[in-house]
Amino acid sequence: MEVVKVREFRLQDTDLWLLPQKAVFLPAHSALLIADLHLGKINHFRRSGIPAPLGVNNKNLEVLVEMINNWKPQLVIFMGDLFHSHYNEELEGFKQITHHFASVNFKLVRGNHDIMSDLQYDRCNLKVYSELHLDQFILTHEPMETVPQGKYNLAGHIHPGVRLHGRGRQSLTLPCFFFGNDKGILPAFGAFTGYVRMAVKKSDAVFIVTGQKVIEMHHA
């Protein structure tokens, strides 16, 4: 797979590479940050009688493998909601990936959907945390209500999106990277997760993910 050109963003004197696959690469730490993969969500819906497309989980794992092959991170951090619920067969496919990339350090910041037993996470070579610190960054699943002075919070959970308006009454909501004064929200990595429209202020930096591009949103 050809490496897609990334969007470089300078935050807190640190380079962030915003990837069109809806993830962040921190070159200073050789770290790949991924939020809200929600493995097993499709099967959960289908068992509940909700129509959902087949193959989405496989596609999510394929993209994960492609990113690890492309960027060769030393560290992969899942920022919560890696799995959608209790044990499901997608865990076995994920376990194959973590064992294949045995030299990579995989970590999980536990999210509200990550409710499996510690044994299952151990089987996947995952170390589990309530939050992680990378220099000035505090990585959590849900955005912090109060961020300590001198720190910056990176989180997921919200599935941020923005609505774009076309000619006439046409509109489209797309996922985005959202960076406020003291906290940034990553888009949901998993497909079929939906978006929550963000209220954007002029001081916010917002990057829309569309196809194979990451585009900065310019405020009116």
Side-chain angles (χ1 to χ4, degrees):
M1 173 184 168
E2 181 183 356
V3 177
V4 180
K5 182 175 175 59
V6 305
R7 182 78 188 201
E8 296 185 14
F9 177 54
R10 188 77 173 170
L11 178 68
Q12 298 286 303
D13 295 323
T14 303
D15 289 326
L16 276 65
W17 295 358
L18 311 181
L19 309 184
Q21 293 87 354
K22 296 182 290 186
V24 171
F25 186 70
L26 296 176
H29 296 274
S30 187
L32 186 64
L33 310 183
I34 297 170
D36 299 284
L37 185 49
H38 284 280
L39 286 174
K41 185 170 188 175
I42 299 301
N43 290 348
H44 177 80
F45 279 179
R46 294 179 71 86
R47 284 194 296 269
S48 301
I50 302 172
L54 292 170
V56 171
N57 285 322
N58 288 337
K59 180 63 176 177
N60 289 334
L61 292 178
E62 289 172 7
V63 174
L64 175 61
V65 170
E66 289 172 351
M67 286 198 304
I68 295 174
N69 280 326
N70 283 338
W71 303 107
K72 297 177 172 51
Q74 298 176 11
L75 173 63
V76 175
I77 300 175
F78 299 99
M79 294 166 57
D81 288 1
L82 171 58
F83 300 102
H84 186 67
S85 186
H86 295 283
Y87 173 85
N88 56 76
E89 52 267 36
E90 275 66 48
L91 182 138
E92 301 303 327
F94 178 79
K95 179 168 69 71
Q96 292 180 16
I97 293 173
T98 58
H99 283 257
H100 176 77
F101 295 103
S103 62
V104 178
N105 191 0
F106 292 94
K107 297 184 177 183
L108 169 65
V109 177
R110 193 188 297 269
N112 52 296
H113 281 276
D114 297 312
I115 58 176
M116 287 191 292
S117 69
D118 291 340
L119 174 63
Q120 299 293 2
Y121 299 126
D122 288 341
R123 290 181 59 224
C124 293
N125 290 341
L126 271 175
K127 297 178 182 177
V128 183
Y129 304 82
S130 59
E131 65 180 41
L132 279 171
H133 293 245
L134 290 178
D135 294 337
Q136 72 273 37
F137 295 115
I138 303 176
L139 277 55
T140 60
H141 175 58
E142 297 186 24
M144 301 173 68
E145 291 186 8
T146 303
V147 181
Q149 187 174 0
K151 299 292 185 179
Y152 193 93
N153 177 217
L154 291 174
H157 183 62
I158 293 179
H159 304 188
V162 291
R163 176 173 289 183
L164 304 179
H165 296 276
R167 295 180 178 178
R169 297 183 178 180
Q170 297 173 330
S171 66
L172 177 67
T173 301
L174 293 174
C176 70
F177 297 91
F178 183 93
F179 300 99
N181 291 331
D182 60 0
K183 58 178 69 76
I185 314 297
L186 273 62
F189 180 84
F192 206 67
T193 53
Y195 316 118
V196 173
R197 289 172 56 194
M198 305 296 289
V200 180
K201 303 189 299 292
K202 287 187 176 181
S203 59
D204 298 327
V206 179
F207 297 86
I208 302 166
V209 182
T210 167
Q212 296 296 301
K213 296 180 180 179
V214 179
I215 303 171
E216 186 172 5
M217 176 178 169
H218 295 286
H219 306 293

